[in-house]
Amino acid sequence: MLFIDNEWVDAESGKTFETVSPIDGKADVEKAVAAARRAFHRKSEWRQLTASARGRLLHRFADLIERDGEYLSTLETTDNGMLYAMCRHMIHGAVSTVRYAAGLADKVHGDTIPSDFEGFTYTLRQPVGVCGLILPWNGPIGLFVNKVATALAAGCTMVVKPAEQTPLTALALAALLAEAGVPRGVVNVVNGYGPTAGAALTHHPHVAKVSFTGSLEVGKIIQQAAGASNLKRVTLELGGKSPLVICDDADLNVAVPYAAEGVFTLQGQVCVAASRLFVQSKIYDEFVKRAVEYAKKRKVGNPFTEGNQNGPQVDEEMMNKVLGYIEKGKAEGAKLLTGGQRIGTTGYYLEPTVFADVTDDMTIAKEEIFGPVQSILKFETLDEVIDRANDTNYGLAAGIFTNNVQTALQFSNLVEAGTVWVNNYFTFEPRIPFGGFKDSGIGREKELSVKGYQRHTSTHVGKMSCLNSPTSAAVVGSPFIVDDSGDDSKTVELGKLTVYLRVLGDSVRVLACRFFSHQGGVRPKEDCFCFSLQKEPTLVEW
Ligand code: NAI
Ligand code: MG
């Protein structure tokens, strides 16, 4: 089932697959992009809306998410396996995100620039066009809302491609957008696989921007597709291998639970997971002991059951990927202290796993595991741990627990990460920019990322007060005589001003002028400045 032009439609191929989505989205992407293009036409209903009207629509969308929070959470837990309690929390976050974007719709605007030339110069912000929004499966509602609400606030139209593992909530949210009053074709959802539906979007010549969250591998493919097609803008959020540093002076009653939640929450399927835990040598043994106790107590089971703290991995493939990393960890000499196994044979549940004595060269310290695996490494000095924390191709997030403000600030300033948390972890807000350094991505989301969905024109407006107005032909500097013996262009030097003009009957048309004080300042002015020729003609002030 797809949602195009505010209607439910079947895939062109007629194909479906078990988990609900159509198999090949290519033809559907064509239809959806065409619908989004129609909706982006300058005379469309959507383009006629004012920015504040777009804001009101988004507020209505937020109201509807609140109304249907229970239903959306049930759908998400069923589709993704994340805890129902967490879904409820995410709905709350989604509503905040939409309301933040709603408020921004009429507050992001261009500038007027104090140009050295006469007249004035301004920038005009306009929506970039049709956007392709490609989502992963680990936070479907949150990511849909974040990308879609921002693009809507900017005035864009869009085609959303959810991950094939979790296609349901995007359809439900698109229906809520239609109910809120978003016109046909503005938000379309095409479910399908990455190499077909996803690639059709990233290669599409009428898609102006792609915003993607997912793997580094696919992020690279998307950037290539953008280059190979129409140089579409690309925003990428590609995960990480985020270091969390626990210093000797940290309060272990706080740091141990934070470190565990930092890597076990959502079964570890989080882009900012604290997957490299550096613990300072003096507290190392005590920390490891407590971390193991904490992991052992964690309740894993049906995500709808209250009290459970971890649900299943999203699918068998991802579960096996995590189990593969656990085997690598053991083989490369890390010390497995708890966990490491699948729980039961139905569902894809994994034991919270703790490895100690992990070293920088081990695979589990280098690659994104995306599972409930805590890898603990030992360090001695701050200087050393900053270098080790930065010794990765990723740079999404980092954290530190310490009671020394100097240590905290030094680490925060020197660690290569888009987000740094001091004595907390996982603090997200719509008003705080989010994105990565290095292989973790390009661009920022949240905060004023609405600007990334807009392009701007710089317009130079010459002074028009003397247009066709003889009375405004006031004198500037010394008068000059125009040789009006022919119809050809004349050049008149007036101090640092050179004027190229043509005499037409009793008026003079300025073709161009140049201020000597500015390099390359010749600007055509044909038809801009006409004024009456006086007996001793003088140049108008302009
Ligand atoms: P993926 O990057 O393959 O999939 C994410 C999205 O990209 C899906 O919608 C998928 O259909 C689409 N996609 C796949 N190939 C594409 C292509 N050629 N062109 C356009 N779109 C394409 O991620 P996957 O395979 O689900 O997970 C693999 C690993 O990626 C995970 O183990 C994890 O390490 C990482 N990941 C990171 C996420 C993050 O939050 N940054 C989210 C999901 C996965
Ligand atoms: Mg993949």
Side-chain angles (χ1 to χ4, degrees):
M1 189 61 70
L2 318 177
F3 195 77
I4 299 178
D5 244 349
N6 279 9
E7 278 170 27
W8 300 106
V9 290
D10 287 327
E12 287 278 322
S13 63
K15 292 182 195 167
T16 56
F17 66 79
E18 273 254 300
T19 355
V20 283
S21 43
I23 235 144
D24 173 351
K26 217 167 165 186
D28 305 296
V29 165
E30 278 306 324
K31 265 200 328 201
V33 172
R37 269 193 102 200
R38 279 193 301 276
F40 194 72
H41 187 271
R42 65 192 163 84
K43 291 182 180 162
S44 73
E45 187 188 344
W46 174 244
R47 296 297 299 281
Q48 302 298 313
L49 286 181
T50 60
S52 60
R54 294 202 303 270
R56 286 194 295 280
L57 271 183
L58 282 165
H59 274 301
R60 282 207 285 283
F61 178 45
D63 294 341
L64 296 174
I65 298 175
E66 271 174 339
R67 183 194 72 188
D68 289 357
E70 216 175 291
Y71 167 67
L72 288 166
S73 300
T74 305
L75 209 56
E76 188 85 308
T77 296
T78 309
D79 212 17
N80 166 282
M82 75 169 73
L83 296 178
Y84 180 77
M86 174 162 288
C87 286
R88 296 311 311 247
H89 181 71
M90 283 196 176
I91 292 287
H92 190 70
V95 169
S96 307
T97 298
V98 177
R99 295 210 189 282
Y100 180 77
L104 267 187
D106 62 355
K107 290 174 195 64
V108 175
H109 42 68
D111 301 305
T112 55
I113 296 160
S115 162
D116 280 354
F117 299 117
E118 81 299 337
F120 78 101
T121 304
Y122 67 95
T123 57
L124 178 69
R125 291 199 160 272
Q126 288 174 318
V128 77
V130 176
C131 298
L133 309 177
I134 303 179
L135 311 180
W137 43 263
N138 57 339
I141 291 178
L143 284 150
F144 178 100
V145 154
N146 187 31
K147 292 189 199 292
V148 170
T150 313
L152 287 175
C156 293
T157 63
M158 60 214 72
V159 178
V160 183
K161 198 211 79 65
E164 50 272 35
Q165 297 89 339
T166 53
L168 297 183
T169 47
L171 293 171
L173 290 164
L176 292 186
L177 282 161
E179 189 181 339
V182 173
R184 288 166 70 93
V186 175
V187 181
N188 308 276
V189 176
V190 175
N191 276 309
Y193 288 116
T196 48
L201 264 182
T202 60
H203 283 277
H204 205 293
H206 295 145
V207 171
K209 169 177 171 120
V210 165
S211 175
F212 168 77
T213 301
S215 62
L216 169 59
E217 178 197 358
V218 173
K220 287 181 175 173
I221 293 173
I222 287 176
Q223 210 181 12
Q224 284 168 4
S229 55
N230 60 340
L231 293 174
K232 52 180 66 67
R233 291 144 190 248
V234 171
T235 302
L236 304 173
E237 199 275 89
L238 307 175
K241 195 68 195 169
S242 301
L244 174 58
V245 172
I246 316 291
C247 297
D248 284 340
D249 63 352
D251 179 350
L252 293 197
N253 293 325
V254 178
V256 170
Y258 261 107
E261 296 302 330
V263 75
F264 295 145
T265 295
L266 238 173
Q267 297 75 258
Q269 301 167 143
V270 184
C271 52
V272 292
S275 54
R276 285 185 298 150
L277 182 61
F278 291 95
V279 179
Q280 206 160 8
S281 56
K282 266 194 213 146
I283 55 161
Y284 183 84
D285 291 339
E286 176 64 15
F287 189 99
V288 168
K289 194 179 112 221
R290 292 210 211 174
V292 171
E293 282 165 13
Y294 195 94
K296 279 186 170 159
K297 279 198 206 127
R298 199 168 181 83
K299 285 192 187 146
V300 185
N302 189 320
F304 281 107
T305 307
E306 220 181 305
N308 279 342
Q309 295 165 295
N310 268 27
Q313 306 307 119
V314 74
D315 62 14
E316 191 172 6
E317 187 187 338
M318 285 297 146
M319 177 188 71
N320 286 334
K321 186 177 166 189
V322 178
L323 285 169
Y325 276 118
I326 291 171
E327 286 313 308
K328 270 214 174 103
K330 288 196 275 189
E332 290 176 11
K335 207 191 277 176
L336 177 68
L337 297 178
T338 184
Q341 301 287 328
R342 180 179 182 181
I343 302 173
T345 49
T346 50
Y348 311 116
Y349 297 92
L350 289 178
E351 291 174 343
T353 299
V354 178
F355 277 110
D357 298 352
V358 176
T359 53
D360 297 351
D361 55 329
M362 291 178 184
T363 308
I364 59 169
K366 285 177 157 169
E367 295 179 15
E368 187 171 48
I369 299 175
F370 237 54
V373 180
Q374 188 171 51
S375 299
I376 309 182
L377 304 91
K378 193 191 279 189
F379 78 96
E380 298 292 336
T381 69
L382 180 65
D383 206 40
E384 165 208 334
V385 83
I386 290 169
D387 281 341
R388 289 174 62 194
N390 288 341
D391 188 17
T392 166
N393 56 320
Y394 287 112
L396 191 59
I400 187 163
F401 279 76
T402 174
N403 282 327
N404 183 328
V405 72
Q406 290 300 335
T407 304
L409 293 181
Q410 200 181 344
F411 177 79
S412 305
N413 294 347
L414 296 173
V415 72
E416 292 167 351
T419 295
V420 185
W421 288 298
V422 177
N423 293 336
N424 70 99
Y425 210 81
F426 282 151
T427 303
F428 285 114
E429 285 187 33
R431 56 200 64 75
I432 304 173
F434 177 70
F437 289 5
K438 303 195 278 190
D439 284 0
S440 289
I442 298 172
R444 289 290 177 272
E445 297 198 285
K446 301 177 185 277
E447 201 230 6
L448 299 180
S449 60
V450 63
K451 290 184 175 175
Y453 288 88
Q454 293 178 325
R455 57 191 175 192
H456 63 264
T457 309
S458 301
T459 303
H460 309 278
V461 184
K463 200 165 162 187
M464 283 176 271
S465 61
C466 57
L467 243 184
N468 295 323
S469 158
T471 52
S472 65
V475 179
V476 200
S478 47
F480 64 93
I481 305 296
V482 177
D483 167 12
D484 62 353
S485 54
D487 208 21
D488 293 330
S489 308
K490 308 287 174 203
T491 304
V492 175
E493 304 278 340
L494 243 185
K496 59 183 182 176
L497 185 67
T498 304
V499 183
Y500 305 90
L501 45 77
R502 178 172 294 153
V503 179
L504 300 163
D506 62 354
S507 69
V508 175
R509 177 166 295 177
V510 177
L511 302 176
C513 78
R514 176 167 57 200
F515 291 92
F516 285 132
S517 54
H518 298 287
Q519 284 182 344
V522 178
R523 292 157 299 143
K525 292 284 182 190
E526 182 106 46
D527 291 331
C528 275
F529 295 91
C530 279
F531 50 90
S532 295
L533 194 63
Q534 295 171 358
K535 215 168 182 199
E536 276 200 335
T538 54
L539 184 64
V540 290
E541 181 191 358
W542 61 291

